[in-house]
Amino acid sequence: MKIANILKQKKTLSFEVFPPKRETDIGNLKKTIQDLATLNPDFMSVTYGALGTTTDNSAAIAKFIKENTKSEPLAHITGIASTKADIINLCNELKKSDIKNVLTLRGDNPENTNNLQSDFEHASDLAAFIYEQFGDYFSCAGACYPEKHPEAVSFEVDIDNLKKKQDTGMEFFTTQLFFDNDVFYRFLIKARKAGITVPILPGIMPVTSYKQIDRIIQVSGVLIPIQLRNYFDKYRNDKQALEEIGIIFTSYQILDLLTNDIDGLHLYSMNKSHFIKKLMANISYVTTGYFANK
Ligand code: FAD
């Protein structure tokens, strides 16, 4: 089923997973997916070469989700370093597995690579090409940035570009992770004012380690609230304390988002199902009711 149609009926819960670098870890990822599936997510997304992770096995993992869980897979696809022929091949592979939902992204230049042939400048070019080639077989979704995409000259320009993505037919957006909900609410108001009407799903990452926080700042530049930074500084060498803080902080963040009637919730699982399960158990009463309804 198309996720856009699920979103017409209810608020969605979803998780992101990424393909492991080592082929030998695929078995572990499959267990993680099955573990996450026990939380009844509406969909699970599979990254494609994000943050130095691999593109290998993305389509196969999406197929595994389709065949072994009740969740719809959302396969990420990037236009960077892809030719039109590459995209047709990948989409045909997804089609063979009855996968209808794709997150169309530009992607970032893989490290240490030059002169990559790319037929797509922006995510919107990729989505337009997929609709041109495959009609309405696929439903395309896209990414958005509550703190602005780092390359955009201004917030306004970034929102105009987001509107272009909607105009090419992207049916919902998932946000870059953020820790300060006010940033998300301000973004949402601007996006709606600019005529973006499709569902916008906040992407939340429960942080569990000090290294993770540093990497997030380095890669995405998102704001870390001083309160969270202080906790992490104080307990930087205490794994258990950091996990406890991560769960409590993210629980509050999610409860606040639900109070403000978000369209759905997307959790960056980082392939750590035990942590996601602890988090969801912490807020199970509220979330069970929330995700059952529109
Ligand atoms: P675009 O939409 O092309 O935007 C990039 C920049 O161009 C922005 O500054 C935007 O304002 C501008 N722009 C957009 N459209 C136009 C236009 N028509 N004309 C002029 N300017 C325009 N990366 C991966 O490699 N693999 C993944 O699996 C992956 N998953 C992600 C999932 C989510 C939810 C998010 C938020 C990001 C993900 N990324 C992934 C990272 C993403 O590829 C990068 O953030 C990348 O830099 C931008 O991708 P985009 O699709 O937003 O690009």
Side-chain angles (χ1 to χ4, degrees), residues 15 25 91 131 135 156 166 175 194 212 244 271 278 287 290-291:
F15 305 127
D25 289 337
C91 287
Y131 282 128
E156 285 63 34
Q166 177 179 274
T175 74
Q212 219 180 359
E244 197 170 273
N271 295 356
K278 268 192 195 170
T287 51
Y290 193 82
F291 295 116

Side-chain angles (χ1 to χ4, degrees), residues 16 46-51 53 76-78 80 103-108 121-125 142-145 149-153 157-159 161-162 164-165 170 174-177 266 268:
E16 180 188 280
V46 186
T47 66
Y48 187 84
L51 298 179
T53 61
H76 295 202
I77 306 184
T78 59
I80 211 148
L103 188 74
T104 40
L105 300 145
R106 184 194 68 182
D108 289 315
E121 193 174 349
H122 288 294
S124 46
D125 303 323
C144 62
Y145 303 83
H149 185 267
E151 290 163 35
V153 291
V157 168
D158 207 28
I159 298 260
N161 289 331
L162 189 60
K164 286 182 199 159
K165 294 196 200 191
M170 292 194 197
T174 304
T175 74
Q176 174 65 291
L177 60 96
H266 189 64
Y268 294 106

